[in-house]
């Protein structure tokens, strides 16, 4: 059974900061946000975690294997190098969606995202090291079948993007509502979903839904592991298998 | 009348690179992509351009004021600092959507996005300096009405994101199909659209469409200028006015 | 005759910040400092300027071609993305050393480097565009003759470094005291000097001095141009010539 | 007794790369080098290591607590994000200077720093976890007494730098030759030395030598710990004590 540790990363009082004392230059905001995301990717990643940019001012991480001290260090490193600070809130459980509900609620209890007095909250408890297992994290890595031939080399760049985005939006909602999963666009034609213990049939069902609803054909590789990295690397290899076998769903290690 | 200069930034043969000789660590890909975007934001931004991350392997920039030499320098800087290269293709015209169609077609003519022999294409011609005007660029900056109170502080972080994403997807498609505009999510609850010469009624129409279709209430500030930065900063100030006046659409400078 | 525009970049009240409220983690300080330097390299470099890291909290730039607005934008970009701010002060003249004396004095007049009330000073006047010439900047690029064979592959890494550092320290002082030049270690075995209108004999004299005093053999390529980049690229090509010809001093374009 | 684990980080075949096919733009090289250093600072730092930029193409790290897998991951992350690769070689022992001699010799045995066929060497063995102690690392953090009042606010920026650099060069050589220590300039007026088990008298001796030889007054805080971070943070607090007490040498925890 999965036991995902999810961390909500929320920039403290960020919206007001972006327009104080007057609106800040957009390219600087974009640079600052994307670099913070890049830094968090490396920082969580050094300990086998994943982080997704989501809205940039609210990022979602899978942090199995990172304890409170690791979180505190990342929080400190942001404070030492950026003009803004972050709050971190952890939730855990077999359903990634529910774990994030818990993490978000705990942070909301401390004050609004735009509360000037709520800074650098650090909430929640990691999964105890002794309780961690090889099945804690399940990652599904989706991509679009022949995205380059179907979209990138055929349509204009915005229309390609719009098609892929539409496939993503459909998949993201369905995986959340039907399968308690958190799905994120990670660039190109790639979507990574953090899932509970789903079956091959569940994935096939989601793929059919996206094809029928958005007209976009996707396939998926699924991996399981003790951390986001372990599960995610399994998913990548499984996706390579799916490309090679021209199959819709592949799972590694095989169930 | 607008005359937008759009540049398509496409990473050369990127998909194959990410899995050669075997799938690369996801956090490193995320870091590399988002830092390249950050660097391009600064590089285009130093000359008043904007760039949007779009799919990260295909980014779209508004580059009025940047000539071929500026583009070549940015291309060189990527080559000198990253393990991958980029192709750049410019298109211009009163319709941002059509300008991008031209830019994309020119690049597709040089070979596939996954063609190992097509590297560092540099295509298209900038708007001659003598033809540039104060109305060349029109930027619309949308945000969600009370996103913090309605979503961020109320729903779990993924559901907030899903709502905002749904509003974005609806707006993006409508602005493209009905109004020849290119719209991009830029983080938080913010969407920036690059538009032709639209009227206040056109923007009100788009806002109504998003509200009716996706159930998300947005408002917009619109700016015009000789560059993306000038127009975009006008749009930001106009959006501040819209917040203050609780209006749906504000335009600066006033028409 | 040269007419170098030098900009002093000074972090505002940085020392106290590094220990407030208690000493900050060293790796974060190192990361922040070196990234700011990297960003300034790109920002000045987009307009053909050079910046040297010097002490990191005090950096020295050659900014021929950058006007006050360019400086203000760089200052703003730092403010928008870092937890600290910078003051900028320009000086100009045929002697780089004297130009920096002027730039420093103007900034000192505004208050101490550790004055909490002195923030984001922007001082001095750039060389008027109409007065710029192709001889304004003279750059000398030195390296150590066969550094890899003599040091890197022979001695332990610290001893190699100590030898190169000693050569640098000797050269830096001599070029400053005898030739009004500002010399900077830029990594590897490379030193870049910003010089007034020196002759081939002057450079040969400096090379002899370093050899006699520090026992380190260096050679130099010299370039002239309207900007740091133009002169610096000439110097690099001249240095390639010096390697090929096994000569001590090469100058491009030839005088 | 100290037992320092030192890692030599050497860019593979970097010199030739910087001039192939022709000299690369200096600002891009500076940006690439300083960002790699920043990234390594964070990567080693996430596991309590320190890295010093040294020559940028040869960096020296203190890596007590990082095992081979940690090193391999950092090496992989560079390969995935930069146009160049790094070799890593570890040495250990009570003398930091000797540990680096061993690390360097092992790497030299694999080929020259400019050998196109030597890529991504990963050499040496870390200190076994069971043998690590609280005294393994001794860090001394020096700064210049009243650097701001004596130099920064009084002299021009280059002369301030030259004085501090001269103090550093003197200290670096003396600490190496007399005390088997590796000292590095880390910005501002700060020098960090990685030392064997030195006494308060040894530090006082070094300070006297720098004062007598270079005319620069420095003081020092010394810390000990199981990692570079632990020892380094002790040293920073000790240096704060030295400032408060106007003493020359302070050690934490007190011997």
């Amino acid at each position: 059974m999965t036991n995902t540790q999810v961390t909500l990363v929320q920039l403290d009082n960020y919206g007001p900061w972006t327009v104080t004392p007057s609106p800040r230059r957009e390219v600087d905001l974009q640079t600052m946000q994307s670099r913070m995301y890049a830094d968090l990717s490396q920082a969580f990643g050094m300990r086998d975690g994943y982080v997704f940019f989501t809205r940039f001012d609210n990022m979602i991480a899978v942090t199995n294997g990172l304890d409170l001290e690791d979180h505190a260090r990342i929080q400190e490193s942001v404070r030492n190098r950026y003009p803004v600070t972050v709050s971190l809130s952890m939730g855990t459980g077999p359903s990634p969606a529910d774990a994030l509900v818990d993490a978000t609620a705990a942070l909301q209890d401390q004050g609004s995202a735009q509360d000037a007095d709520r800074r650098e909250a650090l909430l929640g408890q990691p999964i105890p090291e002794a309780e961690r297992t090889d099945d804690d994290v399940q990652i599904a890595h989706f991509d679009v079948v022949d995205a380059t031939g179907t979209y990138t080399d055929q349509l204009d760049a915005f229309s390609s993007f719009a098609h892929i985005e539409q496939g993503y939006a459909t998949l993201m909602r369905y995986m959340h509502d039907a399968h308690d999963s958190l799905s994120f666009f990670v660039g190109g034609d790639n979507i990574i979903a953090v899932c509970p213990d789903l079956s091959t049939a569940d994935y096939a069902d989601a793929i059919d839904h996206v094809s029928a609803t958005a007209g976009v054909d996707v396939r998926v590789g699924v991996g399981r592991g003790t951390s986001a990295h372990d599960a995610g690397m399994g998913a990548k290899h499984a996706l390579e298998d799916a490309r090679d076998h021209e199959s819709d769903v592949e799972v590694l290690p095989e169930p």
Side-chain angles (χ1 to χ4, degrees), chain A:
Chain A
M1 199 173 70
T2 57
N3 191 14
T4 314
Q5 179 177 313
V6 173
T7 301
L8 171 61
V9 180
Q10 187 172 91
L11 273 65
D12 297 317
N13 202 22
Y14 181 59
W17 182 85
T18 65
V19 293
T20 302
S22 64
R24 294 177 191 259
R25 196 174 279 260
E26 188 63 32
V27 293
D28 290 344
L29 299 178
Q30 294 299 311
T31 301
M32 202 272 280
Q33 292 172 7
S34 52
R35 286 199 179 153
M36 186 183 295
Y37 168 62
D39 276 358
L40 295 175
S41 273
Q42 288 298 303
F44 285 114
M46 273 294 286
R47 295 196 181 270
D48 287 340
Y50 270 17
V51 59
F52 301 98
F53 59 80
T54 324
R55 293 168 55 188
F56 286 102
D57 61 349
N58 285 268
M59 295 180 262
I60 296 171
V62 180
T63 57
N64 293 62
L66 285 94
D67 61 18
L68 267 172
E69 191 188 338
D70 295 325
H71 281 76
R73 174 164 312 185
I74 291 171
Q75 197 171 45
E76 178 189 349
S77 186
V78 169
R79 175 174 70 242
N80 281 340
R81 301 188 289 112
Y82 286 92
V84 293
T85 56
V86 295
S87 286
L88 302 174
S89 183
M90 268 176 274
T92 61
S95 154
D98 288 348
L100 182 61
V101 167
D102 294 346
T104 310
L107 186 56
Q108 288 166 341
D109 278 351
Q110 300 288 315
S112 165
Q114 298 196 355
D115 179 339
D117 294 327
R118 197 216 67 192
R119 283 168 56 93
E120 299 199 309
L122 177 54
L123 307 170
Q125 287 297 328
I127 298 166
E129 193 61 30
E131 296 177 16
R132 297 180 61 203
T133 76
D134 286 348
D135 294 323
D136 281 352
V137 185
Q138 182 163 137
I139 296 269
H141 195 132
F142 294 84
D143 75 358
V144 174
V145 177
D146 194 21
T148 301
T150 309
Y151 300 113
T152 314
D153 289 348
Q154 294 297 325
L155 305 180
D156 75 275
F158 194 83
S159 299
S160 293
F161 172 52
H163 277 275
I164 288 169
E165 207 279 336
Q166 190 157 341
Y168 165 53
T170 303
L171 179 63
M172 171 233 255
R173 279 194 296 273
Y174 191 76
M175 289 293 288
H176 188 250
D177 297 347
H179 296 304
D180 265 6
S181 300
L182 307 175
S183 309
F184 304 94
F185 177 63
V186 293
D189 60 325
N190 295 266
I191 295 151
I192 294 181
V194 187
C195 307
D197 199 2
L198 300 185
S199 67
T200 300
D202 293 330
Y203 289 110
D205 164 62
I207 288 171
D208 290 346
H209 179 81
V210 174
S211 179
T213 308
V216 176
D217 292 326
V218 299
R219 83 197 128 200
V220 68
V222 181
R224 289 162 298 162
T226 190
S227 67
H229 168 71
D230 287 355
M233 198 50 91
K236 283 168 172 274
H237 283 285
L239 184 61
E240 291 289 285
D241 288 351
R243 282 173 188 145
D244 292 345
H245 306 164
E246 300 192 0
S247 56
D248 283 348
V249 185
E250 296 281 344
V251 180
L252 280 177
E254 295 180 28

